[in-house]
Amino acid sequence: MKRPLVLVVCNALDDKTRLERGIVSDSPAASRKVLMLCQALREAGARPCILSLGRGRANGSFNYFPRVVKRVAGVPVIYAPFSHVRFFSQFLSLFFLIGALLRLSSSQKKAVIFYNRMSAYLPLLITASVSGYKRFLDLEDGEVAGQESGKLKALLGRTTTWLYDRLCPDGALLACSALANMTSIRPVHCYYGSTSTKAFEVKPSTLPRTVLMAGTLNADTGADLLIETIRLLRQEPSDWARHLQFEVTGKGDSLDALQTLANEDGTPNVIVHGRTTDAQYADVLNRCSTGLALKPVGGPLADTTFPSKVIEFAESGLLVLSTDISDVRSVLGDGALYLTRNDPLALARLLQTIVEQPEETLACALRGQQAVIAQCAPQRAGQAVFSFIFGGQP
Protein backbone atom coordinates (compact mmCIF):
# COMPACT_ATOMS: atom_id res chain seq x y z
CA MET A 1 0.00 0.00 0.00
CA LYS A 2 1.31 3.45 -0.91
CA ARG A 3 2.31 5.79 1.83
CA PRO A 4 -0.17 8.62 2.46
CA LEU A 5 0.68 11.76 0.50
CA VAL A 6 1.24 15.07 2.30
CA LEU A 7 1.75 18.20 0.19
CA VAL A 8 3.05 21.39 1.79
CA VAL A 9 2.20 24.57 -0.11
CA CYS A 10 4.69 27.28 0.80
CA ASN A 11 7.53 29.45 -0.47
CA ALA A 12 10.42 27.37 0.85
CA LEU A 13 13.70 27.77 -1.03
CA ASP A 14 16.94 25.85 -1.04
CA ASP A 15 20.14 27.87 -1.33
CA LYS A 16 20.94 26.90 -4.91
CA THR A 17 17.48 27.83 -6.22
CA ARG A 18 17.47 31.07 -4.24
CA LEU A 19 20.81 32.15 -5.66
CA GLU A 20 19.94 31.09 -9.21
CA ARG A 21 16.72 33.10 -9.12
CA GLY A 22 18.30 36.13 -7.45
CA ILE A 23 15.90 36.08 -4.50
CA VAL A 24 16.81 38.13 -1.43
CA SER A 25 13.42 38.44 0.34
CA ASP A 26 12.98 34.86 1.52
CA SER A 27 12.85 33.46 5.06
CA PRO A 28 15.57 30.86 5.74
CA ALA A 29 13.97 29.92 9.08
CA ALA A 30 10.62 29.21 7.41
CA SER A 31 12.29 27.15 4.67
CA ARG A 32 14.19 25.14 7.26
CA LYS A 33 11.07 24.48 9.35
CA VAL A 34 9.08 23.27 6.33
CA LEU A 35 11.86 21.01 5.12
CA MET A 36 12.35 19.45 8.55
CA LEU A 37 8.59 18.96 8.93
CA CYS A 38 8.64 16.96 5.71
CA GLN A 39 11.61 14.92 6.89
CA ALA A 40 9.80 14.17 10.15
CA LEU A 41 6.64 13.15 8.29
CA ARG A 42 8.69 10.82 6.12
CA GLU A 43 10.06 9.21 9.30
CA ALA A 44 6.45 8.71 10.44
CA GLY A 45 5.44 6.90 7.25
CA ALA A 46 4.10 9.69 5.03
CA ARG A 47 5.14 10.60 1.49
CA PRO A 48 5.81 14.36 1.74
CA CYS A 49 6.23 16.73 -1.19
CA ILE A 50 6.74 20.50 -1.18
CA LEU A 51 4.89 22.72 -3.66
CA SER A 52 6.85 25.97 -3.52
CA LEU A 53 6.12 29.25 -5.25
CA GLY A 54 9.89 29.62 -5.47
CA ARG A 55 9.54 33.36 -5.61
CA GLY A 56 10.78 36.56 -4.08
CA ARG A 57 10.42 40.27 -4.68
CA ALA A 58 10.53 40.95 -8.44
CA ASN A 59 13.37 43.30 -9.39
CA GLY A 60 11.87 44.48 -12.69
CA SER A 61 14.33 42.65 -14.93
CA PHE A 62 13.25 40.29 -17.72
CA ASN A 63 14.82 37.21 -16.12
CA TYR A 64 12.60 34.12 -16.26
CA PHE A 65 13.09 30.80 -14.46
CA PRO A 66 11.08 27.72 -15.54
CA ARG A 67 9.37 25.20 -13.32
CA VAL A 68 11.89 22.96 -11.54
CA VAL A 69 11.55 19.63 -9.75
CA LYS A 70 14.36 18.57 -7.43
CA ARG A 71 15.09 16.78 -4.19
CA VAL A 72 16.27 18.81 -1.21
CA ALA A 73 17.62 16.72 1.67
CA GLY A 74 15.68 13.79 0.27
CA VAL A 75 12.36 15.67 0.01
CA PRO A 76 10.85 16.24 -3.46
CA VAL A 77 10.25 19.93 -4.17
CA ILE A 78 8.28 21.31 -7.12
CA TYR A 79 9.11 24.96 -7.76
CA ALA A 80 6.71 27.10 -9.75
CA PRO A 81 8.19 29.19 -12.57
CA PHE A 82 9.34 32.65 -11.54
CA SER A 83 9.77 35.90 -13.42
CA HIS A 84 11.24 39.19 -12.25
CA VAL A 85 8.63 41.01 -14.35
CA ARG A 86 6.16 42.49 -11.90
CA PHE A 87 2.50 41.36 -12.12
CA PHE A 88 3.48 38.55 -14.50
CA SER A 89 5.44 37.20 -11.54
CA GLN A 90 2.31 37.15 -9.38
CA PHE A 91 0.30 35.50 -12.17
CA LEU A 92 2.79 32.63 -12.39
CA SER A 93 2.68 32.12 -8.63
CA LEU A 94 -1.11 32.08 -8.53
CA PHE A 95 -1.77 29.38 -11.12
CA PHE A 96 1.24 27.30 -12.12
CA LEU A 97 1.20 24.77 -9.26
CA ILE A 98 -2.42 23.75 -9.83
CA GLY A 99 -1.37 21.14 -12.40
CA ALA A 100 1.05 19.51 -9.97
CA LEU A 101 -1.60 19.38 -7.26
CA LEU A 102 -4.09 17.75 -9.64
CA ARG A 103 -1.57 15.22 -10.97
CA LEU A 104 -0.81 14.09 -7.43
CA SER A 105 -4.48 13.87 -6.43
CA SER A 106 -4.80 10.24 -7.57
CA SER A 107 -3.39 9.09 -4.21
CA GLN A 108 -6.02 7.39 -2.11
CA LYS A 109 -4.96 9.03 1.17
CA LYS A 110 -3.82 12.59 0.67
CA ALA A 111 -3.60 15.85 2.56
CA VAL A 112 -2.32 19.32 1.85
CA ILE A 113 -0.92 21.82 4.34
CA PHE A 114 -0.93 25.55 3.56
CA TYR A 115 1.89 27.49 5.20
CA ASN A 116 0.17 30.61 6.53
CA ARG A 117 -2.91 32.31 5.07
CA MET A 118 -1.36 33.67 1.89
CA SER A 119 -3.65 35.07 -0.82
CA ALA A 120 -1.25 33.64 -3.43
CA TYR A 121 -2.27 30.12 -2.37
CA LEU A 122 -6.03 30.65 -2.80
CA PRO A 123 -6.31 29.05 -6.28
CA LEU A 124 -4.51 26.00 -4.91
CA LEU A 125 -6.73 25.96 -1.83
CA ILE A 126 -9.89 26.04 -3.95
CA THR A 127 -8.52 23.33 -6.26
CA ALA A 128 -7.60 21.13 -3.29
CA SER A 129 -11.09 21.56 -1.84
CA VAL A 130 -12.67 20.02 -4.97
CA SER A 131 -9.99 17.34 -5.45
CA GLY A 132 -10.58 15.24 -2.35
CA TYR A 133 -7.60 16.45 -0.29
CA LYS A 134 -7.75 16.76 3.48
CA ARG A 135 -6.85 20.42 4.05
CA PHE A 136 -4.87 21.92 6.91
CA LEU A 137 -3.60 25.38 7.74
CA ASP A 138 -0.10 25.77 9.20
CA LEU A 139 -0.49 29.06 11.06
CA GLU A 140 2.99 30.39 11.81
CA ASP A 141 2.27 34.10 12.17
CA GLY A 142 -0.78 35.78 13.60
CA GLU A 143 -2.21 38.96 12.20
CA VAL A 144 -0.74 41.94 14.04
CA ALA A 145 -3.03 44.87 14.71
CA GLY A 146 -2.18 47.82 12.49
CA GLN A 147 -0.10 45.68 10.19
CA GLU A 148 -2.31 46.34 7.19
CA SER A 149 -2.88 49.82 5.84
CA GLY A 150 -5.89 50.95 3.86
CA LYS A 151 -9.44 49.68 3.67
CA LEU A 152 -8.83 47.53 0.59
CA LYS A 153 -5.93 45.65 2.18
CA ALA A 154 -7.87 45.22 5.40
CA LEU A 155 -10.83 43.80 3.46
CA LEU A 156 -8.55 41.45 1.52
CA GLY A 157 -6.99 40.29 4.78
CA ARG A 158 -10.36 39.55 6.39
CA THR A 159 -11.60 37.78 3.26
CA THR A 160 -8.46 35.63 3.05
CA THR A 161 -8.77 34.69 6.72
CA TRP A 162 -12.44 33.77 6.25
CA LEU A 163 -11.69 31.61 3.20
CA TYR A 164 -8.91 29.66 4.91
CA ASP A 165 -10.95 29.13 8.05
CA ARG A 166 -13.81 27.74 5.92
CA LEU A 167 -11.78 25.77 3.36
CA CYS A 168 -9.31 24.14 5.79
CA PRO A 169 -11.88 22.19 7.82
CA ASP A 170 -9.63 19.35 8.91
CA GLY A 171 -7.37 21.18 11.34
CA ALA A 172 -4.59 23.69 11.94
CA LEU A 173 -0.98 23.34 12.95
CA LEU A 174 -0.02 26.22 15.23
CA ALA A 175 3.41 27.73 15.84
CA CYS A 176 2.33 28.53 19.42
CA SER A 177 -0.70 27.92 21.62
CA ALA A 178 -1.92 31.56 21.59
CA LEU A 179 -2.56 31.32 17.84
CA ALA A 180 -5.61 29.16 18.62
CA ASN A 181 -7.37 32.47 19.30
CA MET A 182 -6.61 33.69 15.77
CA THR A 183 -8.43 30.97 13.85
CA SER A 184 -11.79 29.27 14.11
CA ILE A 185 -10.35 26.04 12.67
CA ARG A 186 -10.59 23.05 14.98
CA PRO A 187 -8.90 20.80 15.95
CA VAL A 188 -5.48 22.38 16.43
CA HIS A 189 -2.03 20.96 17.11
CA CYS A 190 1.03 22.93 18.26
CA TYR A 191 4.05 22.09 16.14
CA TYR A 192 7.19 23.91 17.29
CA GLY A 193 9.57 22.34 14.80
CA SER A 194 11.72 19.27 14.48
CA THR A 195 15.30 18.52 15.35
CA SER A 196 17.62 16.77 12.94
CA THR A 197 18.94 13.22 13.20
CA LYS A 198 22.45 14.46 14.00
CA ALA A 199 24.03 14.24 17.46
CA PHE A 200 25.61 17.46 18.77
CA GLU A 201 27.85 18.00 21.75
CA VAL A 202 26.97 20.86 24.09
CA LYS A 203 29.29 23.75 23.33
CA PRO A 204 32.11 24.06 25.92
CA SER A 205 32.27 27.06 28.25
CA THR A 206 35.59 28.29 26.92
CA LEU A 207 36.43 31.96 26.65
CA PRO A 208 35.59 34.11 24.87
CA ARG A 209 31.91 33.22 24.98
CA THR A 210 30.61 33.79 21.46
CA VAL A 211 26.97 34.88 21.24
CA LEU A 212 24.91 34.51 18.05
CA MET A 213 22.10 36.75 16.81
CA ALA A 214 20.58 35.37 13.61
CA GLY A 215 17.59 35.84 11.34
CA THR A 216 15.54 38.96 10.74
CA LEU A 217 17.27 41.94 12.31
CA ASN A 218 14.90 44.69 13.40
CA ALA A 219 13.22 46.17 16.47
CA ASP A 220 10.49 43.50 16.48
CA THR A 221 13.08 40.71 16.79
CA GLY A 222 15.15 42.41 19.48
CA ALA A 223 18.06 43.63 17.37
CA ASP A 224 17.71 47.17 18.70
CA LEU A 225 17.76 45.86 22.27
CA LEU A 226 21.01 44.04 21.50
CA ILE A 227 22.50 47.22 20.02
CA GLU A 228 21.58 49.21 23.15
CA THR A 229 23.08 46.49 25.36
CA ILE A 230 26.38 46.39 23.46
CA ARG A 231 26.64 50.18 23.62
CA LEU A 232 25.98 50.03 27.36
CA LEU A 233 28.74 47.45 27.82
CA ARG A 234 31.16 49.53 25.80
CA GLN A 235 30.39 52.69 27.78
CA GLU A 236 31.17 50.96 31.07
CA PRO A 237 33.81 48.35 30.19
CA SER A 238 34.30 45.57 32.71
CA ASP A 239 36.64 42.61 32.93
CA TRP A 240 33.94 40.03 32.19
CA ALA A 241 32.78 41.86 29.03
CA ARG A 242 36.26 41.38 27.54
CA HIS A 243 35.50 37.64 27.44
CA LEU A 244 32.39 38.16 25.32
CA GLN A 245 31.92 38.58 21.58
CA PHE A 246 28.96 38.65 19.20
CA GLU A 247 28.41 37.25 15.73
CA VAL A 248 25.41 38.42 13.67
CA THR A 249 23.87 36.84 10.58
CA GLY A 250 20.75 37.78 8.65
CA LYS A 251 19.17 40.86 7.19
CA GLY A 252 16.78 43.62 8.22
CA ASP A 253 16.38 47.26 9.15
CA SER A 254 18.91 47.04 12.00
CA LEU A 255 21.70 45.51 9.91
CA ASP A 256 23.38 48.88 9.17
CA ALA A 257 23.39 49.87 12.85
CA LEU A 258 24.92 46.52 13.77
CA GLN A 259 27.53 46.94 11.05
CA THR A 260 28.37 50.36 12.50
CA LEU A 261 28.95 48.69 15.88
CA ALA A 262 31.20 46.14 14.23
CA ASN A 263 33.25 48.88 12.57
CA GLU A 264 33.81 50.74 15.84
CA ASP A 265 36.52 49.89 18.30
CA GLY A 266 35.29 48.60 21.62
CA THR A 267 34.65 45.66 23.89
CA PRO A 268 32.82 43.35 23.39
CA ASN A 269 33.74 42.70 19.78
CA VAL A 270 30.99 42.42 17.14
CA ILE A 271 31.28 40.54 13.83
CA VAL A 272 28.50 41.06 11.27
CA HIS A 273 28.16 38.58 8.39
CA GLY A 274 24.87 39.73 6.90
CA ARG A 275 22.94 37.21 4.82
CA THR A 276 24.80 33.91 4.56
CA THR A 277 24.41 30.66 2.69
CA ASP A 278 23.32 27.61 4.67
CA ALA A 279 26.92 26.33 4.73
CA GLN A 280 28.29 29.66 5.94
CA TYR A 281 25.62 29.86 8.63
CA ALA A 282 26.45 26.33 9.80
CA ASP A 283 30.07 27.39 10.28
CA VAL A 284 29.05 30.40 12.37
CA LEU A 285 26.61 28.31 14.41
CA ASN A 286 29.30 25.74 15.12
CA ARG A 287 31.69 28.23 16.70
CA CYS A 288 29.11 30.01 18.88
CA SER A 289 28.17 28.88 22.38
CA THR A 290 25.07 31.01 23.06
CA GLY A 291 22.07 31.81 20.84
CA LEU A 292 19.84 34.86 21.30
CA ALA A 293 16.07 35.02 20.73
CA LEU A 294 15.06 38.53 21.76
CA LYS A 295 11.59 39.26 20.36
CA PRO A 296 10.39 41.88 22.87
CA VAL A 297 8.27 40.94 25.86
CA GLY A 298 4.81 42.39 25.21
CA GLY A 299 5.78 43.20 21.62
CA PRO A 300 3.73 42.51 18.49
CA LEU A 301 5.38 39.10 17.98
CA ALA A 302 5.34 37.95 21.61
CA ASP A 303 2.21 35.81 21.29
CA THR A 304 1.67 35.67 17.53
CA THR A 305 4.53 33.35 16.61
CA PHE A 306 7.22 31.10 18.07
CA PRO A 307 10.98 31.83 17.79
CA SER A 308 11.93 28.63 15.98
CA LYS A 309 15.62 29.50 16.31
CA VAL A 310 15.49 28.32 19.93
CA ILE A 311 14.94 24.74 18.71
CA GLU A 312 17.92 24.96 16.36
CA PHE A 313 20.16 26.61 18.97
CA ALA A 314 19.32 24.15 21.74
CA GLU A 315 19.69 21.09 19.52
CA SER A 316 23.07 22.34 18.30
CA GLY A 317 24.34 22.53 21.89
CA LEU A 318 24.13 26.29 22.34
CA LEU A 319 22.86 27.89 25.52
CA VAL A 320 19.58 29.65 24.68
CA LEU A 321 19.05 33.17 26.00
CA SER A 322 15.46 34.10 25.17
CA THR A 323 12.88 36.65 26.12
CA ASP A 324 10.10 35.02 28.13
CA ILE A 325 7.50 34.98 25.35
CA SER A 326 5.21 32.63 23.46
CA ASP A 327 5.67 28.94 24.36
CA VAL A 328 9.46 29.06 24.81
CA ARG A 329 9.33 28.21 28.50
CA SER A 330 6.88 25.35 27.94
CA VAL A 331 9.30 23.82 25.42
CA LEU A 332 12.67 24.50 27.09
CA GLY A 333 11.64 24.64 30.75
CA ASP A 334 14.73 25.35 32.83
CA GLY A 335 16.96 24.68 29.82
CA ALA A 336 17.33 28.36 28.91
CA LEU A 337 18.06 31.75 30.41
CA TYR A 338 15.04 34.06 30.26
CA LEU A 339 14.89 37.82 29.87
CA THR A 340 11.65 38.96 31.48
CA ARG A 341 11.75 42.64 30.48
CA ASN A 342 13.06 44.63 27.53
CA ASP A 343 15.91 46.20 29.45
CA PRO A 344 19.52 46.49 28.23
CA LEU A 345 20.81 46.33 31.80
CA ALA A 346 18.88 43.11 32.50
CA LEU A 347 20.26 41.58 29.30
CA ALA A 348 23.77 42.66 30.27
CA ARG A 349 23.40 40.90 33.63
CA LEU A 350 22.39 37.66 31.92
CA LEU A 351 25.40 37.96 29.62
CA GLN A 352 27.57 38.44 32.68
CA THR A 353 26.11 35.23 34.13
CA ILE A 354 27.11 33.38 30.95
CA VAL A 355 30.73 34.49 31.32
CA GLU A 356 31.09 34.19 35.09
CA GLN A 357 29.14 30.97 35.73
CA PRO A 358 30.39 28.52 33.10
CA GLU A 359 29.43 25.32 34.92
CA GLU A 360 25.86 26.45 35.60
CA THR A 361 25.31 27.69 32.05
CA LEU A 362 26.81 24.50 30.61
CA ALA A 363 24.33 22.46 32.63
CA CYS A 364 21.51 24.75 31.48
CA ALA A 365 22.49 24.25 27.83
CA LEU A 366 22.46 20.47 28.35
CA ARG A 367 18.96 20.63 29.86
CA GLY A 368 17.77 22.69 26.91
CA GLN A 369 19.22 20.24 24.41
CA GLN A 370 17.62 17.30 26.17
CA ALA A 371 14.26 19.11 26.31
CA VAL A 372 14.06 19.86 22.58
CA ILE A 373 15.26 16.40 21.60
CA ALA A 374 12.63 14.81 23.85
CA GLN A 375 9.83 16.96 22.43
CA CYS A 376 10.95 17.67 18.87
CA ALA A 377 12.87 14.58 17.74
CA PRO A 378 11.77 13.81 14.17
CA GLN A 379 10.26 10.44 15.09
CA ARG A 380 8.13 11.93 17.85
CA ALA A 381 7.26 15.25 16.16
CA GLY A 382 6.58 13.56 12.83
CA GLN A 383 4.35 10.88 14.33
CA ALA A 384 2.37 13.50 16.25
CA VAL A 385 1.68 15.51 13.07
CA PHE A 386 0.99 12.32 11.06
CA SER A 387 -1.55 11.19 13.66
CA PHE A 388 -3.12 14.65 13.69
CA ILE A 389 -3.57 14.53 9.90
CA PHE A 390 -4.54 10.90 9.36
CA GLY A 391 -5.77 9.79 12.76
CA GLY A 392 -2.74 7.59 13.38
CA GLN A 393 -3.53 5.14 10.58
CA PRO A 394 -0.50 4.22 8.41
Side-chain angles (χ1 to χ4, degrees):
M1 181 178 177
K2 270 192 172 182
R3 290 182 167 204
L5 174 70
V6 180
L7 303 181
V8 182
V9 177
C10 60
N11 193 40
L13 284 159
D14 67 280
D15 256 353
K16 184 177 179 182
T17 303
R18 175 181 67 83
L19 293 170
E20 286 174 348
R21 297 187 172 197
I23 293 171
V24 296
S25 56
D26 65 309
S27 170
S31 296
R32 182 179 187 273
K33 189 172 184 182
V34 166
L35 184 63
M36 296 187 78
L37 168 62
C38 289
Q39 291 173 328
L41 282 168
R42 187 178 57 196
E43 290 281 331
R47 183 164 54 100
C49 178
I50 295 172
L51 301 185
S52 173
L53 300 186
R55 63 169 290 110
R57 191 177 296 114
N59 60 23
S61 70
F62 289 98
N63 291 331
Y64 174 80
F65 303 90
R67 173 180 173 272
V68 175
V69 181
K70 60 169 62 177
R71 282 189 177 270
V72 180
V75 177
V77 182
I78 301 174
Y79 288 112
F82 174 60
S83 168
H84 277 290
V85 177
R86 296 183 179 94
F87 303 113
F88 181 53
S89 168
Q90 281 85 347
F91 174 81
L92 291 174
S93 296
L94 278 171
F95 298 107
F96 270 74
L97 287 173
I98 291 177
L101 186 141
L102 288 173
R103 282 192 298 273
L104 293 165
S105 66
S106 60
S107 295
Q108 187 175 7
K109 295 187 71 172
K110 53 187 180 290
V112 57
I113 300 170
F114 293 88
Y115 192 89
N116 275 332
R117 289 184 285 223
M118 303 293 292
S119 56
Y121 306 152
L122 287 175
L124 284 165
L125 175 60
I126 293 168
T127 303
S129 69
V130 297
S131 302
Y133 283 91
K134 299 187 74 174
R135 302 177 302 283
F136 297 83
L137 173 65
D138 183 350
L139 190 55
E140 294 290 324
D141 303 292
E143 288 77 12
V144 177
Q147 189 180 47
E148 296 175 334
S149 59
K151 292 183 178 180
L152 184 59
K153 283 189 176 181
L155 177 61
L156 176 61
R158 289 195 298 271
T159 303
T160 300
T161 296
W162 184 86
L163 283 169
Y164 273 95
D165 284 7
R166 297 304 180 278
L167 296 180
C168 290
D170 297 297
L173 300 175
L174 305 179
C176 66
S177 56
L179 286 175
N181 299 321
M182 296 190 179
T183 178
S184 62
I185 299 172
R186 293 297 183 272
V188 297
H189 172 76
C190 285
Y191 173 73
Y192 301 112
S194 171
T195 58
S196 69
T197 56
K198 300 177 182 177
F200 296 89
E201 297 290 333
V202 172
K203 295 299 181 351
S205 304
T206 53
L207 298 177
R209 298 302 297 270
T210 303
V211 181
L212 174 61
M213 179 77 169
T216 303
L217 305 170
N218 57 33
D220 287 341
T221 60
D224 290 359
L225 173 61
L226 177 62
I227 291 169
E228 292 176 38
T229 304
I230 293 171
R231 292 207 176 280
L232 175 66
L233 295 176
R234 286 181 173 180
Q235 288 171 4
E236 303 174 7
S238 56
D239 288 339
W240 66 265
R242 302 180 193 280
H243 299 297
L244 195 66
Q245 66 179 11
F246 295 87
E247 297 208 34
V248 180
T249 70
K251 61 185 189 298
D253 296 339
S254 301
L255 180 60
D256 289 343
L258 286 159
Q259 187 61 64
T260 299
L261 275 181
N263 294 338
E264 296 172 353
D265 292 330
T267 300
N269 185 41
V270 178
I271 303 169
V272 175
H273 303 276
R275 176 61 191 266
T276 59
T277 65
D278 290 346
Q280 291 167 339
Y281 175 70
D283 288 340
V284 176
L285 183 69
N286 187 57
R287 62 175 175 262
C288 292
S289 58
T290 300
L292 298 177
L294 298 178
K295 290 177 180 177
V297 176
L301 303 181
D303 292 314
T304 60
T305 188
F306 179 83
S308 60
K309 283 288 182 189
V310 302
I311 305 296
E312 180 185 36
F313 291 157
E315 180 204 1
S316 300
L318 280 69
L319 172 69
V320 174
L321 195 169
S322 173
T323 43
D324 195 4
I325 64 165
S326 190
D327 293 352
V328 177
R329 192 180 287 271
S330 66
V331 175
L332 292 178
D334 62 353
L337 297 182
Y338 296 99
L339 182 66
T340 56
R341 61 184 189 277
N342 309 315
D343 179 6
L345 183 58
L347 178 55
R349 286 172 178 161
L350 287 176
L351 293 169
Q352 183 177 2
T353 298
I354 291 171
V355 174
E356 294 185 343
Q357 300 181 23
E359 292 183 3
E360 289 82 351
T361 54
L362 185 67
C364 183
L366 181 59
R367 292 194 297 270
Q369 185 183 61
Q370 292 170 339
V372 298
I373 290 174
Q375 188 162 343
C376 302
Q379 297 85 354
R380 177 170 181 174
Q383 187 58 57
V385 175
F386 184 95
S387 297
F388 179 70
I389 295 173
F390 295 112
Q393 299 301 316

